[in-house]
Amino acid sequence: MDDNIVKLFGVKFHKFDEEQAFKRFLYLLNRSKYSMIFTPNPEIVMMAQKDLEYKDILAEGDLVIPDGIGIILASRIKKLGLDKRLPGIEMMESILKYCNNAKKSIYLLGSSADNVEKAAHNIKTVYPNIEIKGYHDGYFDDAEELHIVDKINEVKPDILFVAMGAPKQEKWMYKHRKILNVKVAMGVGGAIDVWSGAVKRAPKLFRKVHLEWFYRIMTNPKRIKRSFVLPQFLLKVLLSRRG
Ligand code: UDP
């Protein structure tokens, strides 16, 4: 197995620091092949325990980075060597900065029609040299799916950001891997909501003490039910260490 790859409960991760992850992104962007970037957090690792098809899809990621302090804690306990979390939204920011300098193009797919439009506008304001080739909301039925792929293929963006939540976004990126005419597709969860201004990222202090997840639960009570999986994840980590 590749030295840079570790597995946490069967879910693949690349053991990269920020710089190595970015180098890998550049490599993926410049090769003539479709690539996928995933950013699993504890919730995703737990989903993959029950959904083996999802686990297999995650294993197909060409760059898989740990999003969430829970993964880093698990890695420390299990001595996997993942030292630092690399939030998907921050990787997206580095990619946007690069696209702005290198005049690369993007397409945004996901969130509501209103939010994705606002996100596109705000990205363009901060990064005027990025070519936003298009955007589309993430609420469509199966019948529309191929039409959306066609729309993306017509404009051939370098990078496709897919923000439809897990596991939907990764499954979508994988399902259309053979027909999507983009270089890199990246699953970015709630990032379009953040770019639209509809959702605020946690203040720096929360991020610094690794409590961004807690802030997200507090500010969005709908996430409380989802957060129940976090203690289950930690228990699984502790039990597996004993085992
Ligand atoms: N979403 C979507 N289509 C769907 C379901 C969800 O576009 O069918 C969007 C939703 O509007 C939100 C994002 O997917 O913008 C999921 O955000 P969430 O915060 O749940 O993602 P996380 O970062 O936690 O994975």
Side-chain angles (χ1 to χ4, degrees), residues 1-200:
M1 194 163 63
D2 187 333
D3 277 353
N4 291 314
I5 290 174
V6 290
K7 288 215 168 175
L8 175 61
F9 302 129
V11 175
K12 167 177 156 178
F13 285 93
H14 280 103
K15 215 165 55 173
F16 286 155
D17 62 22
E18 218 170 315
E19 203 183 314
Q20 291 167 322
F22 194 74
K23 267 195 188 146
R24 173 88 180 154
F25 156 74
L26 287 180
Y27 163 76
L28 300 177
L29 184 67
N30 290 313
R31 68 177 184 174
S32 49
K33 210 179 147 193
Y34 172 75
S35 303
M36 296 180 293
I37 303 181
F38 300 141
T39 67
N41 57 17
E43 217 182 326
I44 291 180
V45 169
M46 290 304 271
M47 275 180 208
Q49 303 309 299
K50 291 189 191 137
D51 182 346
L52 298 184
E53 182 210 349
Y54 188 39
K55 194 188 268 183
D56 288 345
I57 290 174
L58 292 172
E60 296 295 318
D62 300 283
L63 173 58
V64 187
I65 54 177
D67 189 336
I69 189 64
I71 302 289
I72 302 307
L73 275 177
S75 158
R76 283 189 194 145
I77 290 170
K78 293 172 75 65
K79 300 192 169 51
L80 296 179
L82 299 169
D83 298 326
K84 207 168 159 254
R85 81 191 183 110
L86 239 174
I89 194 157
E90 287 174 18
M91 180 87 196
M92 179 181 179
E93 183 87 46
S94 309
I95 294 176
L96 290 174
K97 254 183 214 156
Y98 168 79
C99 289
N100 192 48
N101 293 331
K103 296 202 171 56
K104 296 287 178 190
S105 60
I106 64 168
Y107 193 105
L108 304 174
L109 176 64
S111 188
S112 65
D114 194 31
N115 282 2
V116 74
E117 186 183 347
K118 281 189 186 138
H121 174 82
N122 292 339
I123 289 174
K124 192 74 189 166
T125 306
V126 179
Y127 298 114
N129 294 329
I130 292 182
E131 197 184 344
I132 302 184
K133 291 235 173 155
Y135 51 83
H136 198 286
D137 67 82
Y139 295 89
F140 46 83
D141 52 34
D142 291 354
E144 273 181 282
E145 230 172 72
L146 288 181
H147 170 63
I148 289 166
V149 172
D150 281 347
K151 276 182 78 162
I152 296 169
N153 285 348
E154 260 167 40
V155 292
K156 295 191 194 69
D158 294 307
I159 294 141
L160 170 67
F161 291 110
V162 188
M164 299 195 288
K168 192 172 176 185
Q169 60 195 20
E170 290 83 10
K171 289 189 172 181
W172 199 88
M173 286 153 64
Y174 181 75
K175 183 176 175 191
H176 302 295
R177 69 195 179 285
K178 293 198 175 134
I179 51 172
L180 270 170
N181 202 345
V182 312
K183 306 253 179 62
V184 176
M186 176 178 182
V188 290
I192 288 183
D193 291 339
V194 173
W195 268 104
S196 76
V199 171
K200 295 264 168 295

